[in-house]
Amino acid sequence: MRTAAVLVSAAAQRMSAERGKLIDGMVDMLAGEIAPLQHDDDHLLAMLAASTHESVMGGLRVLENNLDPRSSEAGEAALQYTRRLAQRAIPLSALLRAFRLGHASFVEMLLAEIAADPDVSTADAAAAGVVAMRQSTGYVDTVSEQLVVAYEREREAWTQHHSMLRAGMIKSLLDGDDVDVPATEASLGYRLGQTHLGLLLWFDREMGAPGEGLLTLEKLATRIAAALDGLHLSVPADADSVQVWIGLPGGDPGETAAPTVGSILEAVPEPRPRAALGRPATGIAGFRSSHRQARAARQVAVAAGRRCGPVTDYAEVGAIALLCTDLATTRTWVQDTLGGLAGDDEATERLRETVRVFLHLGSSHTAAAEKLNLHKNSVVYRIGRAEALRGRPLRSDRADVELALRAAHLLGPVVLDQQS
């Protein structure tokens, strides 16, 4: 009487004798059923065939020799194919599905082979089927676990390597180095001749788990680009900030970019990220300039804290960005320019706001009163009080006063007199 293990071994030997046809059919089935494995690349298809051949032969060897499937090791061809899938960002789920489908097909053929033996009773065939299922499942589970580990390691290493390459290419672009434009565009997946919107996204403080903040910012970059009907390029700047370029198919979006970015950020729960925007500009020079402006806008945002809100647009703060390059000197200049109007208290802040609106509206008491919802006489009084505090008329150096008021409005305590 033959045992179940012997029956399985005999069936496996008969399948092994026909392995060429068996494996070819399985490769065709896997390539046809699993979309991510359908390649135009002949080399990758050859790697799929080699991996399938190796895996099937490994399973047959376990069954032929009644080996412990837990001692099985993934073959080199299967490991190479798995690593190549990871490099090409083909999802791990495709590989695992290939194992499930391949295993189901293999077991079906094996059970049919056992049942085809005229000397095997139904009961013996059922017992052999249990052994075959247990051993083949153990083999697939053991090998697939090894391949999952190989995939994840390769994916992490490849992602880091690819990120370093991307970061290096972007740095060369920003540094003004000569670059091979077609090759760089192909590697980055981003056109350099279009109109670019430079954007920085960041969190003011570190997020929880490592990588959590970057993942959130990358997703936001994708959403912002989609809202602006563009494709984007992004690269981490550090653990909690991302540099982004959005290719704008319609050119300059005018005044719509900042509100669009703001509405997306406002929908994010606290702690809410922040954004700084450059002006849209075209070509490689625009790629650089818009990024530089976004960095300058961020400098304003960081100096001002939350006074700037979630979005800081260089188009609105360009002059203040220049002042932020030397805050100590700027602080002295603001206080010298505003005199007593540089005091850091609520009453003086109300006077500064009145003066700022008054000058912006052409020194019209009536227009300022309407804008501030005040009586005209109140505006007249506040302007007089402001000039008294300053110690000289506002018109004496109006341009400087307006810029200093703008700096005080945005930067607040950073440039104001804390001793007042």
Side-chain angles (χ1 to χ4, degrees):
M1 177 180 175
R2 293 181 293 175
T3 64
V6 170
L7 292 175
V8 170
S9 176
Q13 291 175 32
R14 294 194 295 273
M15 288 176 63
S16 184
E18 298 290 332
R19 59 183 178 274
K21 184 170 64 175
L22 182 159
I23 293 170
D24 287 346
M26 190 173 293
V27 171
D28 290 342
M29 181 270 294
L30 295 177
E33 288 286 334
I34 305 175
L37 303 186
Q38 297 168 0
H39 311 292
D40 294 329
D41 187 333
D42 291 340
H43 180 61
L44 208 55
L45 287 172
M47 293 183 74
L48 170 61
S51 174
T52 304
H53 179 276
E54 192 175 63
S55 298
V56 169
M57 293 308 297
L60 288 172
R61 186 163 52 252
V62 166
L63 297 175
E64 288 178 34
N65 299 288
N66 194 25
L67 302 175
D68 182 355
R70 294 171 297 179
S71 65
S72 302
E73 293 186 3
E76 187 57 32
L79 288 169
Q80 288 182 4
Y81 181 60
T82 297
R83 288 192 283 264
R84 186 58 56 86
L85 295 182
Q87 292 166 10
R88 299 201 178 188
I90 295 171
L92 178 60
S93 58
L95 179 66
L96 296 179
R97 186 169 180 233
F99 264 86
R100 290 196 302 272
L101 292 179
H103 180 226
S105 176
F106 180 88
V107 169
E108 184 178 345
M109 287 184 281
L110 181 62
L111 295 180
E113 192 66 44
I114 294 171
D117 188 338
D119 298 326
V120 177
S121 66
T122 302
D124 288 342
V130 171
V131 171
M133 181 64 73
R134 183 174 63 248
Q135 287 188 297
S136 62
T137 300
Y139 171 77
V140 167
D141 185 58
T142 298
V143 171
S144 62
E145 281 295 316
Q146 295 172 28
L147 296 182
V148 166
V149 172
Y151 181 97
E152 291 176 342
R153 286 177 177 171
E154 184 65 21
R155 186 67 195 148
E156 181 178 0
W158 184 259
T159 298
Q160 291 178 351
H161 174 68
H162 189 59
S163 294
M164 290 176 62
L165 287 176
R166 285 164 60 91
M169 290 179 179
I170 291 171
K171 184 177 185 303
S172 292
L173 284 168
L174 295 177
D175 288 347
D177 297 341
D178 290 333
V179 298
D180 183 332
V181 173
T184 301
E185 289 182 332
S187 296
L188 296 177
Y190 183 84
R191 292 190 301 108
L192 297 173
Q194 61 188 323
T195 299
H196 313 280
L197 172 64
L199 179 69
L200 297 179
L201 297 170
W202 76 95
F203 284 100
D204 283 327
R205 59 182 176 82
E206 290 187 6
M207 298 296 287
E212 180 181 344
L214 286 180
L215 182 60
T216 299
L217 296 177
E218 290 282 2
K219 290 180 178 178
L220 283 174
T222 300
R223 288 174 55 193
I224 291 168
L228 295 174
D229 296 323
L231 298 177
H232 77 287
L233 168 68
S234 64
V235 62
D238 51 44
D240 292 290
S241 63
V242 173
Q243 303 170 111
V244 184
W245 290 262
I246 299 175
L248 302 171
D252 189 341
E255 299 178 355
T256 63
T260 298
V261 174
S263 64
I264 291 174
L265 296 188
E266 289 288 354
V268 179
E270 293 287 356
R272 189 166 292 134
R274 302 176 71 187
L277 281 65
R279 293 179 185 273
T282 304
I284 294 178
F287 183 92
R288 295 171 183 144
S289 66
S290 191
H291 175 72
R292 285 196 301 268
Q293 291 168 358
R295 290 181 60 183
R298 178 182 175 174
Q299 196 170 5
V300 175
V302 170
R306 289 288 173 171
R307 295 173 69 93
C308 272
V311 179
T312 305
D313 189 348
Y314 183 84
E316 298 293 328
V317 302
I320 306 304
L322 294 175
L323 295 178
C324 283
T325 58
D326 186 348
L327 282 173
T329 300
T330 296
R331 184 182 306 112
T332 299
W333 176 77
V334 167
Q335 293 178 18
D336 286 346
T337 302
L338 297 183
L341 271 179
D344 187 20
D345 59 85
E346 291 184 8
T348 308
E349 183 174 3
R350 283 194 297 271
L351 289 178
R352 281 198 302 272
E353 182 63 10
T354 300
V355 174
R356 190 176 69 85
V357 172
F358 171 73
L359 294 177
H360 179 70
L361 295 176
S363 300
S364 169
H365 294 92
T366 302
E370 291 178 358
K371 177 71 174 179
L372 296 169
N373 196 27
L374 294 172
H375 192 279
K376 179 181 175 181
N377 289 342
S378 296
V379 173
V380 172
Y381 170 77
R382 289 188 182 185
I383 296 302
R385 176 65 181 149
E387 289 189 322
L389 271 177
R390 185 179 182 235
R392 57 190 185 275
L394 297 172
R395 64 177 178 274
S396 63
D397 49 356
R398 174 173 170 168
D400 283 356
V401 171
E402 287 192 276
L403 183 56
L405 287 170
R406 176 70 172 150
H409 177 70
L410 279 174
L411 302 178
V414 175
V415 296
L416 294 176
D417 183 1
Q418 303 294 308
Q419 304 304 315
S420 61

